[in-house]
Amino acid sequence: MGQTFTGLLKAVRTRTAPGGPAHQAPAAPAVLRLCGDHLAALAASGPMDPARKNRLVASIGTLTTACSPGEDGLFDALLRTGQHALEAGGDAQARFALGIAVEATGMRDRSKGAWRLRGRALDALGRSEEAVQAYERHLTLQQEPSSSQDIARRIATLRALRRCLDDAAGLLPDGEDAARLRALRDVPAAEAGAGFADVVRRRTAGRGMADPAVRKLTGAYAAHRRLLDRDRMADPLLGGTEPIGVPALRRLVEGRTVCLVAGAPRVLEEERTAGSALGKLIDGYDLVVRCDTLPTGGDSALVRTDLHALTLRGDAPWTGPGWGRPAGTRLVFGDRLADWRRALRARLVPDAQDHIGDASLRRPLSDPALIGEDGWGTRTTTAFTVLRLLDFLDADRLDLIGFGLPGQLLPREHAWVTARATHEDETDLRTQLR
């Protein structure tokens, strides 16, 4: 990798030196300067996904070659390099992509691809008004509107995000918080989300959720989060699977009896025993919830799972076998958003579930629009996460089966359950929360 950087940087400096080759494309000197500056910064930058970094460096190498006299393909190399820079992620790469896009639109003002790249780079930098202008220029040049539906959706999303922030600022008296919300209109998405969440936490801590303005502010934040989490391109539904958010999940549990079943071997063995009291008890609930690894084996099809929750753990990418065990609804917890989406696309199995939780449900404990509690950490069990979510959604009756057994919950989680349990029966391994 070091030799690649050194060789490319040397080539850039040679071509931009005084007295260098003549008859280059007019944009070539500026492009070479952009590449040289970015390569120098990239060599000194922090960690980056190796595959994306290598792809970006290779694209820059191709681009510098295309800048040589007599070489063709400079414009196509510009678009390809800008795309790879955006895929690599980070502010530095987005700024590099924007510089590339400016040169591309300067070369071909009527190129819809160049204006699309420019819009995406501005979008990644949080410059939403300029991004909308670039996207609209792309749409003007696009002769097939059906080919740019994702751009039209993105324009609508960017405008809706600004309205959310304006509406939220209008709920607050003029002051530091209102000014901060308005300033978030033109910052990158991650920074905007974190800044909005910070304002919501501070106002909630100061006034409490009983305050009408705080409730409206929380609603505006929830809408803002959903817009931030919305994919720029519509996800194809896998085998008829329907994404559901918080309102749909609330309707699923509303007025129903719910049991969360532990995955302990003792519980599974008793449940599988024909005519067992535990099996009849579980079958009597309207909604049966299980976590992480579902039962397997010859009679596993007899074990009912209405809602399956699991957590993506370890470092991304979260590769692994597909989630093929049938479940009515599947909830997948994990962060970061881009890695979470990739895991879903790679591991959801068509027809294995009717519903999949959308991005608004991927981190319920820390999301201020839902439970919004810090400090639980990455080791929090899936069972506790889904338990808190179901409790927040006001399930009519919520029982735990087998969670009194050792090792099912972390000590802090077990203390939370114990403090709120209304009844515990060791005979049928049941803990009632309401």
Coordinates of all heavy atoms in Angstrom, one line a residue, residues 119 122-135 154-155 158-159 161-162 184-187:
G119 N -24.7 16.4 -6.2 CA -25.7 16.5 -5.2 C -25.4 15.5 -4.1 O -25.6 15.8 -2.9
L122 N -22.6 17.0 -1.8 CA -23.1 18.1 -1.0 C -24.0 17.5 0.1 O -24.0 18.0 1.3 CB -23.9 19.1 -1.8 CG -23.0 19.9 -2.8 CD1 -23.9 20.5 -3.9 CD2 -22.3 21.0 -2.0
D123 N -24.8 16.5 -0.2 CA -25.7 15.8 0.7 C -24.9 15.2 1.9 O -25.2 15.4 3.0 CB -26.5 14.8 0.0 CG -27.7 14.3 0.8 OD1 -27.8 14.6 2.0 OD2 -28.5 13.6 0.2
A124 N -23.8 14.5 1.5 CA -23.0 13.9 2.5 C -22.3 14.9 3.5 O -22.1 14.6 4.6 CB -21.9 13.0 1.9
L125 N -22.1 16.1 3.0 CA -21.5 17.2 3.8 C -22.5 17.9 4.6 O -22.1 18.9 5.3 CB -20.7 18.1 2.9 CG -19.4 17.5 2.3 CD1 -18.8 18.4 1.2 CD2 -18.3 17.3 3.3
G126 N -23.8 17.6 4.4 CA -24.8 18.3 5.1 C -25.3 19.6 4.5 O -26.0 20.4 5.1
R127 N -24.8 19.9 3.3 CA -25.2 21.2 2.7 C -26.4 21.0 1.9 O -26.5 20.9 0.6 CB -24.0 21.7 1.8 CG -22.8 22.1 2.6 CD -21.5 22.1 1.9 NE -21.4 23.0 0.8 CZ -20.3 23.3 0.1 NH1 -19.2 22.7 0.4 NH2 -20.4 24.2 -0.9
S128 N -27.5 20.9 2.6 CA -28.8 20.4 2.0 C -29.4 21.3 0.9 O -29.9 20.8 -0.1 CB -29.8 20.1 3.1 OG -30.1 21.3 3.9
E129 N -29.3 22.6 1.1 CA -29.9 23.5 0.1 C -29.2 23.3 -1.2 O -29.8 23.3 -2.3 CB -29.9 24.9 0.6 CG -31.0 25.2 1.6 CD -31.3 26.7 1.8 OE1 -32.1 27.3 1.0 OE2 -30.6 27.3 2.7
E130 N -27.9 23.3 -1.1 CA -27.1 23.2 -2.4 C -27.3 21.8 -3.0 O -27.3 21.6 -4.2 CB -25.6 23.4 -2.1 CG -25.2 24.8 -1.6 CD -23.8 24.9 -1.1 OE1 -22.9 25.1 -2.0 OE2 -23.6 24.8 0.1
A131 N -27.4 20.8 -2.1 CA -27.7 19.4 -2.6 C -29.0 19.4 -3.4 O -29.1 18.8 -4.4 CB -27.7 18.4 -1.4
V132 N -30.0 20.0 -2.8 CA -31.3 20.0 -3.5 C -31.2 20.7 -4.9 O -31.7 20.2 -5.9 CB -32.4 20.7 -2.7 CG1 -33.6 21.1 -3.5 CG2 -32.7 19.9 -1.5
Q133 N -30.4 21.8 -5.0 CA -30.2 22.5 -6.2 C -29.5 21.6 -7.3 O -29.9 21.5 -8.4 CB -29.4 23.7 -6.0 CG -30.2 24.8 -5.2 CD -29.3 26.0 -4.9 OE1 -28.1 26.1 -5.3 NE2 -29.8 26.9 -4.1
A134 N -28.5 20.8 -6.8 CA -27.8 19.9 -7.7 C -28.7 18.8 -8.1 O -28.7 18.4 -9.3 CB -26.5 19.4 -7.0
Y135 N -29.5 18.2 -7.2 CA -30.4 17.1 -7.5 C -31.4 17.6 -8.5 O -31.8 16.9 -9.4 CB -31.1 16.6 -6.2 CG -30.2 15.7 -5.3 CD1 -30.4 15.8 -4.0 CD2 -29.3 14.9 -5.9 CE1 -29.6 15.0 -3.1 CE2 -28.5 14.0 -5.1 CZ -28.7 14.1 -3.7 OH -28.0 13.3 -2.9
R154 N -35.3 11.7 -2.3 CA -34.2 12.4 -1.5 C -34.5 13.9 -1.4 O -34.3 14.4 -0.3 CB -32.8 12.1 -2.1 CG -31.7 12.5 -1.2 CD -31.8 11.9 0.2 NE -30.8 12.4 1.1 CZ -30.8 12.2 2.4 NH1 -31.8 11.5 3.0 NH2 -29.9 12.8 3.2
I155 N -34.9 14.5 -2.4 CA -35.2 15.9 -2.3 C -36.3 16.2 -1.3 O -36.2 17.1 -0.5 CB -35.6 16.5 -3.7 CG1 -34.4 16.5 -4.7 CG2 -36.2 17.9 -3.6 CD1 -34.7 16.9 -6.1
L158 N -34.9 15.7 2.2 CA -34.1 16.8 2.7 C -35.0 18.0 3.1 O -34.7 18.7 4.1 CB -33.1 17.2 1.6 CG -32.0 16.3 1.3 CD1 -31.1 16.7 0.1 CD2 -31.1 16.1 2.6
R159 N -36.0 18.3 2.3 CA -36.9 19.4 2.7 C -37.7 19.1 3.9 O -37.9 20.0 4.8 CB -37.8 19.7 1.5 CG -37.1 20.3 0.3 CD -38.0 20.5 -0.9 NE -37.3 21.3 -1.9 CZ -37.7 21.3 -3.2 NH1 -38.7 20.5 -3.6 NH2 -37.0 22.1 -4.1
L161 N -36.7 17.2 6.4 CA -35.7 17.3 7.5 C -35.6 18.7 8.0 O -35.6 19.0 9.2 CB -34.4 16.8 7.1 CG -34.2 15.2 7.0 CD1 -32.9 14.8 6.3 CD2 -34.2 14.7 8.4
R162 N -35.5 19.7 7.0 CA -35.4 21.1 7.4 C -36.7 21.5 8.1 O -36.7 22.3 9.1 CB -35.2 21.9 6.1 CG -33.8 21.7 5.5 CD -33.6 22.6 4.3 NE -33.4 24.0 4.7 CZ -32.2 24.5 5.0 NH1 -31.1 23.8 5.0 NH2 -32.1 25.8 5.3
L184 N -28.6 23.2 12.8 CA -28.4 21.8 12.4 C -28.9 21.5 11.0 O -28.8 20.5 10.4 CB -29.1 20.9 13.4 CG -28.6 20.8 14.8 CD1 -29.4 20.0 15.7 CD2 -27.1 20.3 14.8
R185 N -29.6 22.5 10.4 CA -30.1 22.3 9.0 C -29.0 22.1 8.0 O -29.3 21.5 6.9 CB -31.0 23.5 8.6 CG -32.2 23.7 9.4 CD -33.0 24.9 9.0 NE -32.3 26.1 9.2 CZ -32.8 27.4 9.0 NH1 -34.0 27.5 8.6 NH2 -32.0 28.4 9.2
D186 N -27.8 22.6 8.2 CA -26.8 22.5 7.2 C -25.5 21.8 7.8 O -24.4 22.3 7.6 CB -26.4 23.9 6.7 CG -27.6 24.4 5.8 OD1 -27.9 23.8 4.8 OD2 -28.1 25.5 6.1
V187 N -25.7 20.7 8.5 CA -24.6 19.9 9.0 C -24.8 18.5 8.5 O -25.9 18.1 8.2 CB -24.4 20.0 10.5 CG1 -24.2 21.4 11.0 CG2 -25.6 19.4 11.2

